[in-house]
Amino acid sequence: MTRKRIQTIVLCVAAAIAWQFYDDIDMRDAPPELPRDMLQTYLKNSETVRFDTNGQAKDSVGAEEIRYFTGVARGELTNASISRTLTLSESWSASAMRGTVFEDNQTVELQGQVVLNHDSNDIQLTTDRLRLDLVKDIASTDAIVTLAHHGATTQSEGLTADLKQQSFHFTHKVTSVYAPLEP
Amino acid sequence: QSAQDPIRISADEATRSELEGITRYLGNVVLVQGTITITASSLEIDQANPEEIKIIATGSPATFVQPMVGAEPAIDAKAQTIRYEQVARKVILEQDARIQRGESIIRGPLIEYFIDEKRVQAGQDANQPKSRVEVVIPPSGSTP
């Protein structure tokens, strides 16, 4: 049997063994494939309250229904209500038809008849879409938004609000109406 | 009377500070109240005192216009800064102030216009160097 033939046989055997070995590793590492968008967790009439290091309630995320799905790192809210406590005497709250709480548990996006109230003065903000940062107390939207404040209303396309500083920046096409002073 | 009309404002953008009670409008600002129209590049509405809304318009220039109403001649006023005091029914024009009422024109550093009394008062701006007041009255026979 010629030397060349022996080399070929040896190579084939080595390749077979390597392939088999490679096949096993491949099988062992792959996590089982989860079906995406399958309902994983369902909460009915729930409210999640978080506390700060002093034991003070700092924010709460409530909803008639919350759904968490496999493979999707966020929860879908129905009839959502969010509230944030800034100080003992100052807080704000928001409600909407739908909402999404993101994986970081810091960002919440509200959609559909969004109403936000700042509970230490008579400010009320209404829009169709609003993104809330529960840590920085920043609200923002690019939708049409209306702010009612002290007998006046201001509307614009787009807004960014610092709810802690109670500062509202209207970004485009601003119109305001101030009620006349009492005679 | 304009005082009983709502104030309507439009602008490119605005910022409201609820803690100060002030809203600042920027870019192509137009304020309308009844027959009064103010235009400016920026305008501030101060509601800190609920009894009195203070309005300060600035521009290059800011303008205050009231059209002719009945026999009353039109008012066309300009200045770097226009202060509109609703309760006092007074407009204060500061810096390069000019007011035209009908055919007569007054220029000066500081002009006060009393809306209901249709009275104009020109004087010096304490914060500015003294400068002349100029009055142009049309020859008799032409409409005032």
Side-chain angles (χ1 to χ4, degrees), chain A residues 22-180:
Chain A
Y22 173 76
D23 198 42
D24 283 348
I25 291 176
D26 188 43
M27 286 303 290
R28 216 174 30 216
D29 284 349
E33 187 63 39
L34 283 174
R36 289 183 64 79
D37 294 349
M38 207 180 78
L39 185 59
Q40 188 176 41
T41 309
Y42 173 77
L43 301 169
K44 180 78 174 172
N45 294 327
S46 72
E47 181 177 14
T48 307
V49 181
R50 298 191 296 189
F51 295 83
D52 60 22
T53 51
N54 305 316
Q56 282 290 330
K58 60 176 182 174
D59 58 43
S60 79
V61 174
E64 200 173 293
E65 297 174 308
I66 303 181
R67 291 179 173 79
Y68 291 96
F69 297 88
T70 53
V72 180
R74 61 175 185 273
E76 305 295 347
L77 316 175
T78 305
N79 287 334
S81 61
I82 313 291
S83 72
R84 257 288 283 157
T85 305
L86 301 170
T87 64
L88 287 179
S89 62
E90 205 179 333
S91 62
W92 58 262
S93 55
S95 63
M97 291 174 64
R98 299 175 308 283
T100 303
V101 54
F102 288 85
E103 181 188 16
D104 58 11
N105 269 327
Q106 169 176 338
T107 311
V108 175
E109 205 161 88
L110 297 177
Q111 301 109 22
Q113 293 174 22
V114 182
V115 178
L116 182 141
N117 290 291
H118 199 289
D119 305 330
S120 61
N121 47 42
D122 70 347
I123 287 182
Q124 182 174 83
L125 185 147
T126 52
T127 183
D128 190 53
R129 264 186 332 277
L130 192 65
R131 192 176 183 90
L132 297 167
D133 183 317
L134 298 183
V135 173
K136 297 175 184 158
D137 294 298
I138 300 289
S140 58
T141 184
D142 55 10
I144 291 176
V145 54
T146 302
L147 183 75
H149 52 94
H150 293 293
T153 58
T154 296
Q155 186 173 84
S156 72
E157 273 181 34
L159 166 115
T160 300
D162 181 328
L163 299 171
K164 200 174 287 181
Q165 299 301 326
Q166 297 181 47
S167 168
F168 300 81
H169 179 56
F170 303 90
T171 48
H172 296 97
K173 296 180 185 167
V174 183
T175 58
S176 292
V177 179
Y178 290 78

Side-chain angles (χ1 to χ4, degrees), chain A residues 121-123 147 149-150 152 154 164-181 183, chain B residues 3-19 23 25 45 47 50-53 86-87:
Chain A
N121 47 42
D122 70 347
I123 287 182
L147 183 75
H149 52 94
H150 293 293
T154 296
K164 200 174 287 181
Q165 299 301 326
Q166 297 181 47
S167 168
F168 300 81
H169 179 56
F170 303 90
T171 48
H172 296 97
K173 296 180 185 167
V174 183
T175 58
S176 292
V177 179
Y178 290 78
L181 293 175
Chain B
Q4 304 318 314
D5 291 309
I7 292 176
R8 298 179 190 282
I9 301 174
S10 60
D12 293 342
E13 59 180 292
T15 298
R16 168 148 186 99
S17 166
E18 190 58 28
L19 296 180
T23 305
Y25 296 86
I45 282 210
Q47 289 178 287
E51 305 304 317
E52 161 87 77
I53 293 184
Q86 265 202 119
V87 173

Side-chain angles (χ1 to χ4, degrees), chain B residues 20 27-28 35 55 62 64 70 111 113 118 125 128 131:
Chain B
E20 295 175 288
N28 301 306
T35 58
I55 297 167
F64 171 94
I111 296 175
Y113 173 57
K118 310 297 177 199
D125 186 337
Q128 300 290 328
S131 64

